[in-house]
Amino acid sequence: MKTLFRGKHFITLDDYSREEVDSLLDVSRYLKMKFALNEPHRMLQDKTVFMMFFEQSTRTRNSMEAGITQLGGHAHDLTPDKMQLSHGESAKDTAEVLSGMGHAIACRNCFFGYGEKNQLGNNYLRELAQYSRIPVMSLQDDWYHPMQGLADLLTIQEKFGTNLKGLKICISWAYATSHAKPLSVPQSQILLFPRYGMDVVVAGPKEFPFMPEIVEKAKKNASDGGGSLKFVDNMEEGFRGAHIVIPKNWGGFLGVKPPKGQARVEYLGTDEAKKQMKTNLEKHKGWICNEKLMKITDRRSVYMHALPADRGKEVVDSVIDGPRSIVIDEAENRIHTAKAVMALTMGGRP
Ligand code: CP
């Protein structure tokens, strides 16, 4: 078991070795047991985490805030409108100032800025981390959602045991209209699951690609971890024989090409780009997880979703509310894994 985590940033699980991820899972299970037994575990007494949410959240916000309370500390629930960053204060100044006042900075910034060097998503978190003297935790950005990935892995191990080699897991695109969901959940999953020997099949229309760097790294992770990664263009092929299915929408940010010379981030805000994304989305209305698809999965299969789900669009009610659905366990595990990350990076061994 790895024990030296204090001060380490948590931006992607790819920055953590397999042994370190195992340790995070062990501590999650330990803290889950403590919680179940109603035993105090105030390991971060009087410590403060500054949570900066650029977007809405139910699971992440509440797992972090309830989690730090249970660990004996306190969270500041911050949004840009409460901070001077709304007047342009830099990530550098924000990180340096908060470093002097508390024990961790946690941030959700999903603004899609792939290839752009400014205050968007992962670039913003990386800049916070560069100047912070306390750990910076991602609460999701445009590239990664490591808190979700860790909770998903814990949930899968609870259902299938710790040896996951040979399990087929289908990560499928699904139709949704609530909003263009970030790429970060499926990207974190394709990076992480093959490291544990799982055979990952991504099913998705060609208009909804992942970032090429992520796919390359995920292939390397599969080769190093004994798992596999393949891409198919239909749900049936992905679902057939799968032990785990995760059908979920992700936005087609990269399926829309900006005109030559125009930055993608600026183009995505235009009416023309929005129209292209909508056209691409509406072509694939039939991508919904239903009973017929669940029937071709393995007889032990489970249905997962990071939530929130677009009911009737990504998934039918009878599947998400049915016996194979483990979405509520998956959501609960967000608090146990968040507590493990905080306990180890904000406290733990000096
Ligand atoms: N899965 C997830 O991150 O949920 P929230 O957006 O509610 O935090």
Side-chain angles (χ1 to χ4, degrees):
M1 180 172 183
K2 289 287 174 191
T3 55
L4 261 180
F5 290 81
R6 187 181 273 198
K8 192 170 163 74
H9 299 309
F10 184 76
I11 292 181
T12 165
L13 286 165
D14 252 40
D15 292 339
Y16 285 68
S17 69
R18 165 76 193 255
E19 267 183 288
E20 287 173 331
V21 178
D22 284 341
S23 301
L24 289 169
L25 293 168
D26 285 341
V27 173
S28 302
R29 282 186 276 268
Y30 173 76
L31 293 172
K32 187 169 183 174
M33 190 84 78
K34 289 270 181 202
F35 186 68
L37 295 170
N38 198 27
E39 280 183 11
H41 43 283
R42 298 171 65 83
M43 296 154 184
L44 296 179
Q45 194 127 14
D46 303 327
K47 300 215 169 169
T48 301
V49 55
F50 302 106
M51 303 193 304
M52 297 162 58
F53 278 96
F54 286 68
E55 290 95 10
Q56 302 85 343
S57 165
T58 295
R59 280 139 290 271
T60 309
R61 184 191 306 280
N62 291 295
S63 59
M64 289 291 292
E65 187 157 349
I68 189 76
T69 302
Q70 290 164 24
L71 292 168
H74 177 70
H76 291 196
D77 184 7
L78 302 165
T79 47
D81 59 297
K82 291 179 185 161
M83 300 181 74
Q84 292 295 8
L85 66 86
S86 59
H87 291 141
E89 186 161 26
S90 67
K92 174 181 184 291
D93 291 348
T94 304
E96 287 187 338
V97 168
L98 294 180
S99 293
M101 297 183 178
H103 304 88
I105 300 169
C107 181
R108 169 173 287 191
N109 182 339
C110 299
F111 289 114
F112 190 81
Y114 177 74
E116 315 292 337
K117 179 78 190 95
N118 55 26
Q119 303 289 291
L120 294 162
N122 187 258
N123 283 336
Y124 186 80
L125 267 90
R126 293 279 181 203
E127 198 173 328
L128 283 177
Q130 186 184 346
Y131 295 104
S132 176
R133 304 187 300 281
I134 55 181
V136 170
M137 294 165 200
S138 169
L139 302 180
Q140 187 173 22
D141 64 29
D142 52 341
W143 287 61
Y144 308 109
H145 195 351
M147 293 284 186
Q148 185 66 50
L150 192 62
D152 289 345
L153 186 55
L154 177 66
T155 312
I156 291 169
Q157 288 193 339
E158 287 176 347
K159 304 299 170 191
F160 292 95
T162 51
N163 181 2
L164 303 175
K165 177 121 188 79
L167 280 187
K168 178 179 174 182
I169 181 161
C170 173
I171 296 165
S172 175
W173 186 87
Y175 177 72
T177 54
S178 59
H179 62 297
K181 302 187 183 191
L183 305 178
S184 48
V185 170
Q187 290 196 159
S188 292
Q189 292 167 338
I190 68 164
L191 286 167
L192 181 61
F193 298 157
R195 295 172 69 188
Y196 281 76
M198 285 187 258
D199 296 319
V200 178
V201 180
V202 179
K206 67 176 185 330
E207 295 89 348
F208 295 84
F210 292 145
M211 295 170 184
E213 297 93 327
I214 295 285
V215 174
E216 279 317 299
K217 186 64 180 32
K219 283 183 185 162
K220 184 175 182 313
N221 288 356
S223 150
D224 294 348
S228 64
L229 175 66
K230 83 170 182 179
F231 290 82
V232 299
D233 64 2
N234 65 92
M235 289 180 98
E236 288 77 12
E237 197 175 343
F239 272 57
R240 193 167 300 285
H243 302 95
I244 301 155
V245 292
I246 315 183
K248 183 186 177 304
N249 179 263
W250 61 83
F253 310 104
L254 285 168
V256 173
K257 300 277 181 258
K260 211 171 163 55
Q262 187 166 358
R264 180 181 282 104
V265 66
E266 284 160 16
Y267 183 65
L268 282 172
T270 65
D271 288 345
E272 196 189 328
K274 284 180 191 157
K275 207 169 127 194
Q276 264 194 65
M277 275 181 76
K278 189 157 169 51
T279 305
N280 288 343
L281 179 72
E282 293 305 321
K283 274 198 271 181
H284 303 291
K285 252 183 167 158
W287 286 65
I288 180 167
C289 176
N290 56 26
E291 296 284 0
K292 194 169 158 215
L293 282 167
M294 291 306 292
K295 277 206 177 78
I296 61 171
T297 61
D298 184 83
R299 64 182 171 77
R300 295 173 297 159
S301 72
V302 295
Y303 164 85
M304 297 178 72
H305 191 297
L307 302 180
D310 278 35
R311 285 171 176 261
K313 288 178 178 142
E314 289 178 297
V315 60
V316 297
D317 285 348
S318 60
V319 170
I320 193 169
D321 296 327
R324 291 171 188 267
S325 174
I326 57 170
V327 295
I328 301 302
D329 291 345
E330 183 183 0
E332 182 194 316
N333 280 336
R334 291 294 308 276
I335 189 167
H336 308 303
T337 45
K339 282 165 72 177
V341 172
M342 288 190 282
L344 286 168
T345 61
M346 296 169 66
R349 247 183 79 189

